[in-house]
Amino acid sequence: MSALPMPERDLAIGLPAQPLSPTRTRTPLAMVAPRASKRRKAPFVLLCLVLVVGVVASVLAMNVSVAQTQYQLVEMRNHEKDLTQSNEAMTAELDNKKAPQNLAAAAAKLSMVPAGQPGTVDLGSGKVTGKADAAAKPEKQDKPQLSQPLTPAEQSALNAKKQAAAQKSTSPAAENTTAKAGAAAGADAADAATGDGAAEGTTAQAAEAAKKAAERGAGTDAAASGTTTPRNPTFSKKELGGGTIPAPRSN
Amino acid sequence: MPQQNATTRPPLSVRRMRFTLFAVLAVLVLLGARLVWVQGIDPTDAAAVATKNRSSGDVAIPAKRGQIIDADGNVLATSTIRYDLVVDQRQVKDTFRRKDAATGKIVSLKTEDGVKELAQVLGLDPQAVHTAFFGKEGAKKKGYSVITKNITPEANDKAREIGLTWLTSEETTQRSYPSGKLAGPVLGFIDAKGKGAEGLELSQNEKLTGKNGSMTYERGADGVRIPNAPVTEEPAVDGQSVKLTLDSDIQYVAQNAVMAKQKQFKAKWVNAVVMDAKTGKLLALADSTSMDPNNPGATDAEYRTSTTVTQAFEPGSTGKIPTFAAALDQGVVTPESQFKVPNAFKIDNETINDSLKHSTYDMTAAGVFARSYNTGTVQVGDKISDSSRYDFMSKLGLGKKIDVGLPGASPGILAKPDDWERRQRLTTMFGQGYTQTAIHTASILQAIANKGVQVAPTLIDAYVDADGTEHPVEAAKTQRVVSEKTSSEMRRMMETVVTAGTSTKMAINGYRVGGKSGTAQAQGEDGKFDQHTNSFAGMVPVEDPRYLVVVTMQHPKGYWRDWSVGDTFTTIMSSVLSKYSVAPDTTKPNPYKAFVGERQKYAW
């Protein structure tokens, strides 16, 4: 380069070349240091990440809430079913106790006797018609002819016994032949127990056996134990249908 | 930057980026095309298939069968929830897992042990349960194997708690009759499918069975119900309950009493009909052999229905009621008309005999009725024409079925007067030569008791919806059969029967009783006419009757003069009067004179 720089620019555009004045100096060219970061991309990426996470989280939350409510619904339906069933069991017990045969037997147990002949008081005139007899214990306590119906527990025990007898007679197990005869006789005795005027022995026996069977297993006292707390429902594979919660039914 | 040279390839990183970009774009284009296809070009088909996959299909909502209740609302028949336990044998594995109650941890147990526990809890034979659960040795595994049927919900809970997940509980209903044999033949029973098979369960089946509902909802592939998806639901209409006119307490007393009577005379059967005299409502239909609807198979088919409506018999002397009533109503005879009553009477070349040899008496018509002399009765009956007597009997309901809602009702047999042969026209005057049921007797008595107005017997009072709304049945048909005067005279004659006639055992302390007894010749099982039917039909209080009781005993054994259903009648009637607080009569009995003249005491 010459001592006095010639502005190449002026030459290029056809201006008369003039040397730069000595007072005007050219800024010396220097390398511009590159910036530490080119552009601020972090907020955008962050935004994307947040969006994605947010969407996934909200979808998850919705599903969880739906599943939870569904589970709650199923639990409540089961609770309702529990209450209906315990109500039914208690009503069945009550109806059984209300049966006239059972009332009569309960009265006899309390040593109650039929009333004597009543008199009638005419409230208008104050006259008493008819001779009022005191209730007297009848000399010959007639045993009622009509047999008492089985209690619900006895009925289901009898049901189980009958099924056991039927199953035994169909399954060809050699060691059960003697048991088979016994079970069949037991079932017959239980049948005869529902007949009237059956010898007191068999009736009491069968009722005893039925009561024992009832206590052992089938059909006792969720009703007698009072309120039932909702228990964790367990579902069969069929009800779940491959999922985790069964579809709630209208009934 | 290095100078671009057209011949050198772009670097690997750039090529990779471009390739990825093109791949993604291609997939997007494909998806876009499919979207356009599904949404725009072929929307209905794909959507329909999807809906079908989601939809659960029609799920039936079972309707509950109605109850049968008595007049006071006591439940006589009801349906209860029961469960059948079934298992898919193909799914069963050797071990299963459940939460141990003691430790709270999940433990793995052998299925065999679980099955043993199941049998113990249910009270069943362990071997049978094992076979049902695992299948027979070498046999094909069944997809549906029944372990047990009709267990209670409590038993079902216990079974489920064992934790065998392949066990399915199927909900079912069982019909239960809480009062056992009480009114058993009237109630009937249902068959295995839940349809009425006999009695009221059969005749009222349509009203008792409701209408099943249906529900469709949408569920995902995992079985979870889709919320907010459309659900169509048609609610089930539960069956109506049938409210009867029966009174359980009276039914109990009546059943007890007829059973005792049947034992006493070793009769084939004894039945009783208790009716409200003013309304015709049946308070009791009692049979000596009653079926327990909980176990119908234990009783003979003959006694699975009520003999009060199904068994027809020749009524005998209670059949004198239509004869005398017709004669009185027509005015050809009064209760005090006089007759010469021998013990054998010849008429139309036929000899009519009385059961006991007695001397010839001068008696009133009331006396003939009270002592139930056939010889006197044919003299009374001969005064009216056969056709008018037949018309009257037909009007009373003889020869026609009385429909109270029980199936199998017998109409009895009443031949037309033209078909009456010479003897039959006479025997029909005193209750032989035609047949009727116990409920016919009750209905005829009711007409006389209710001042001559017969009200058709009713058993069903109302139908009750599931929500409690009662729909009473339409009012019973009424018809006047005799005048009030005739009714009053007949009732006074019936009082004479109890005070001075054949039924002195039927008196009830404090009340005025009126009635008519009957001992008829009956055909036995072997076809010979060597059996008898003994009955009594009575009303209390006789001046203004409120209740009537008819007791009929079929084929009693022993000496005929011992036979009496008096105590059965008084037991049942006393309990009715007591329960409904019928005040004792303040007036004294007012019978007719049985014999002409002052003397009334004569030998039998």
Side-chain angles (χ1 to χ4, degrees):
Chain A
M1 281 213 219
S2 55
L4 281 171
M6 300 293 281
E8 287 174 9
R9 207 180 105 256
D10 288 347
L11 285 170
I13 57 178
L15 285 173
Q18 282 180 19
L20 289 171
S21 61
T23 54
R24 196 170 157 210
T25 52
R26 188 189 170 90
T27 316
L29 292 172
M31 274 284 280
V32 179
R35 280 236 182 120
S37 52
K38 294 202 196 108
R39 281 181 305 168
R40 286 185 53 92
K41 281 191 188 158
F44 180 68
V45 172
L46 203 62
L47 181 69
C48 285
L49 273 171
V50 164
L51 271 174
V52 167
V53 168
V55 165
V56 169
S58 67
V59 168
L60 187 68
M62 211 161 61
N63 274 342
V64 165
S65 140
V66 164
Q68 188 139 21
T69 323
Q70 187 124 325
Y71 199 84
Q72 251 182 349
L73 182 64
V74 170
E75 203 171 300
M76 283 171 78
R77 285 240 188 263
N78 278 318
H79 188 32
E80 186 203 352
K81 184 159 245 167
D82 269 348
L83 290 173
T84 310
Q85 288 172 358
S86 67
N87 183 23
E88 217 177 65
M90 283 191 258
T91 310
E93 247 188 78
L94 178 66
D95 285 340
N96 176 260
K97 286 193 161 46
K98 273 166 93 173
Q101 304 96 303
N102 288 337
L103 283 176
K109 258 205 187 119
L110 293 170
S111 309
M112 292 175 80
V113 296
Q117 173 89 16
T120 322
V121 184
D122 185 342
L123 290 175
S125 61
K127 267 174 61 179
V128 176
T129 24
K131 182 173 167 298
D133 288 330
K137 197 172 168 74
E139 330 77 37
K140 190 175 63 132
Q141 190 70 283
D142 282 327
K143 206 166 86 65
Q145 298 286 325
L146 193 58
S147 60
Q148 291 173 248
L150 298 174
T151 63
E154 288 168 347
Q155 185 73 41
S156 51
L158 180 66
N159 200 25
K161 227 183 188 171
K162 273 193 182 162
Q163 285 194 31
Q167 283 170 336
K168 265 189 185 162
S169 60
T170 52
S171 79
E175 63 268 14
N176 280 335
T177 37
T178 43
K180 193 198 325 179
D188 284 342
D191 268 343
T194 62
D196 319 282
E200 266 200 331
T202 21
T203 323
Q205 245 178 40
E208 273 299 302
K211 275 200 173 66
K212 282 214 181 84
E215 278 154 26
R216 187 180 63 207
T220 345
D221 315 293
S225 68
T227 52
T228 50
T229 50
R231 52 174 180 59
N232 251 339
T234 53
F235 304 104
S236 70
K237 276 210 165 86
K238 186 167 165 234
E239 287 172 295
L240 292 173
T244 48
I245 306 166
R249 300 182 135 245
S250 154
N251 54 330
Chain B
M1 200 184 307
Q3 281 186 314
Q4 199 102 1
N5 190 338
T7 54
T8 56
R9 295 178 72 212
L12 192 60
S13 58
V14 173
R15 271 186 282 138
R16 276 201 204 119
M17 268 172 45
R18 284 195 189 155
F19 176 72
T20 315
L21 185 65
F22 284 137
V24 168
L25 279 175
V27 171
L28 275 174
V29 163
L30 275 171
L31 285 175
R34 176 71 180 153
L35 188 71
V36 167
W37 172 262
V38 166
Q39 289 261 202
I41 297 172
D42 185 20
T44 44
D45 234 15
V49 170
T51 315
K52 190 157 162 289
N53 279 337
R54 282 203 307 274
S55 169
S56 66
D58 272 331
V59 176
I61 307 171
K64 205 160 177 235
R65 190 174 174 85
Q67 298 181 321
I68 302 180
I69 54 180
D70 78 354
D72 298 320
N74 297 312
V75 172
L76 296 171
T78 185
S79 290
T80 48
I81 294 175
R82 290 287 179 267
Y83 290 94
D84 293 342
L85 288 181
V86 296
V87 72
D88 186 348
Q89 290 174 348
R90 302 171 297 196
Q91 306 263 350
V92 172
K93 309 241 180 332
D94 286 330
T95 60
F96 69 104
R97 299 157 70 80
R98 73 154 179 237
K99 198 171 197 170
D100 188 40
T103 61
K105 293 205 173 99
I106 309 267
V107 292
S108 178
L109 300 165
K110 282 210 324 209
T111 312
E112 290 231 357
D113 293 335
V115 169
K116 277 207 190 73
E117 210 181 320
L118 183 70
Q120 195 213 6
V121 157
L122 295 174
L124 296 172
D125 174 35
Q127 185 66 31
V129 175
H130 189 276
T131 314
F133 210 88
F134 294 104
K136 286 207 179 92
E137 288 292 321
K140 195 171 149 211
K141 294 229 182 286
K142 290 190 266 188
Y144 186 90
S145 170
V146 175
I147 309 285
T148 179
K149 279 180 167 291
N150 287 334
I151 56 170
T152 60
E154 293 92 9
N156 180 52
D157 286 346
K158 286 202 175 87
R160 293 227 70 83
E161 272 163 24
I162 295 176
L164 298 158
T165 50
W166 317 285
L167 201 62
T168 315
S169 300
E170 286 190 347
E171 195 178 300
T172 176
T173 56
Q174 189 182 47
R175 201 73 169 154
S176 135
Y177 302 88
S179 293
K181 291 193 172 204
L182 195 81
V186 173
L187 297 172
F189 57 95
I190 58 172
D191 63 13
K193 290 198 189 68
K195 194 164 165 280
E198 197 60 86
L200 285 170
E201 296 272 20
L202 172 62
S203 67
Q204 306 302 308
N205 194 55
E206 216 186 286
K207 296 244 188 226
L208 288 169
T209 316
K211 209 163 74 97
N212 283 348
S214 74
M215 179 171 85
T216 22
Y217 59 90
E218 293 188 7
R219 53 169 159 61
D222 62 349
V224 179
R225 184 160 155 190
I226 301 172
N228 303 324
V231 169
T232 51
E233 185 173 328
E234 206 189 292
V237 179
D238 285 342
Q240 289 182 307
S241 293
V242 179
K243 186 170 184 204
L244 305 177
T245 56
L246 294 183
D247 181 321
S248 287
D249 299 328
I250 307 297
Q251 178 78 28
Y252 168 70
V253 171
Q255 254 180 280
N256 238 0
V258 297
M259 286 169 77
K261 180 61 54 174
Q262 186 265 332
K263 275 210 173 64
Q264 184 187 8
F265 290 113
K266 298 189 181 41
K268 184 171 179 215
W269 51 255
V270 182
N271 66 27
V273 178
V274 182
M275 190 191 271
D276 181 320
K278 293 187 193 288
T279 62
K281 288 192 173 170
L282 290 163
L283 296 175
L285 291 171
D287 287 281
S288 56
T289 307
S290 292
M291 140 188 96
D292 182 352
N294 291 308
N295 186 16
T299 315
D300 282 339
E302 205 180 347
Y303 300 110
R304 289 189 209 144
T305 50
S306 181
T307 58
T308 54
V309 298
T310 61
Q311 297 298 313
F313 49 87
E314 294 192 29
S317 301
T318 50
K320 292 185 171 112
I321 295 174
T323 308
F324 277 80
L328 287 171
D329 211 39
Q330 286 188 31
V332 298
V333 134
T334 72
E336 281 153 334
S337 302
Q338 298 179 2
F339 295 91
K340 251 190 164 46
V341 185
N343 98 331
F345 185 74
K346 196 147 185 232
I347 175 173
D348 289 346
N349 283 332
E350 292 286 340
T351 309
I352 303 295
N353 293 301
D354 282 332
S355 42
L356 276 175
K357 261 190 156 57
H358 60 89
S359 6
T360 305
Y361 293 130
D362 285 318
M363 302 184 81
T364 58
V368 171
F369 188 75
R371 283 211 169 188
S372 201
Y373 285 146
N374 299 340
T375 49
T377 307
V378 297
Q379 293 179 50
V380 171
D382 203 34
K383 288 184 184 287
I384 56 178
S385 70
D386 287 351
S387 62
S388 74
R389 191 157 50 88
Y390 171 84
D391 289 338
F392 182 68
M393 288 163 83
S394 193
K395 192 171 184 188
L396 286 173
L398 293 170
K400 285 193 294 264
K401 196 168 74 160
I402 293 185
D403 186 13
V404 294
L406 290 173
S410 168
I413 303 172
L414 178 64
K416 288 221 160 45
D418 299 331
D419 300 330
W420 288 352
E421 32 137 26
R422 193 175 64 194
R423 191 163 179 82
Q424 193 174 11
R425 70 168 281 272
L426 298 169
T427 56
T428 49
M429 291 177 194
F430 49 87
Q432 308 263 188
Y434 66 94
T435 63
Q436 61 176 71
T437 66
I439 208 168
H440 283 100
T441 317
S443 185
I444 293 170
L445 197 74
Q446 185 274 327
I448 306 295
N450 193 29
K451 308 210 167 45
V453 177
Q454 188 181 47
V455 182
T458 34
L459 177 64
I460 297 168
D461 191 34
Y463 293 101
V464 185
D465 290 339
D467 61 4
T469 323
E470 268 195 36
H471 302 278
V473 299
E474 51 181 56
K477 287 199 177 72
T478 64
Q479 60 168 356
R480 177 166 283 285
V481 295
V482 291
S483 66
E484 253 191 74
K485 179 164 171 279
T486 307
S487 154
S488 157
E489 288 173 340
M490 282 298 300
R491 279 183 280 120
R492 197 173 161 195
M493 282 165 66
M494 286 184 183
E495 188 169 27
T496 317
V497 174
V498 177
T499 57
T502 55
S503 307
T504 48
K505 285 204 185 115
M506 281 59 160
I508 296 176
N509 199 6
Y511 296 92
R512 290 172 65 184
V513 181
K516 185 74 191 75
S517 64
T519 305
Q521 283 179 309
Q523 196 171 30
E525 308 288 313
D526 51 6
K528 287 201 281 232
F529 247 74
D530 57 355
Q531 298 287 343
H532 297 85
T533 308
N534 182 282
S535 58
F536 180 76
M539 57 175 84
V540 178
V542 80
E543 288 261 290
D544 185 17
R546 286 197 43 194
Y547 299 100
L548 54 96
V549 174
V550 177
V551 183
T552 312
M553 174 164 64
Q554 179 80 320
H555 302 178
K557 306 278 182 292
Y559 182 44
W560 69 270
R561 290 203 76 183
D562 293 333
W563 300 334
S564 172
V565 293
D567 49 350
T568 314
F569 169 79
T570 53
T571 307
I572 301 174
M573 186 56 96
S574 301
S575 68
V576 177
L577 297 170
S578 165
K579 174 151 188 197
Y580 292 99
S581 300
V582 178
D585 282 307
T586 51
T587 51
K588 279 200 167 352
N590 182 26
Y592 284 112
K593 279 212 179 115
F595 294 89
V596 177
E598 281 309 310
R599 183 182 165 194
Q600 294 297 309
K601 277 191 163 53
Y602 285 92
W604 279 87

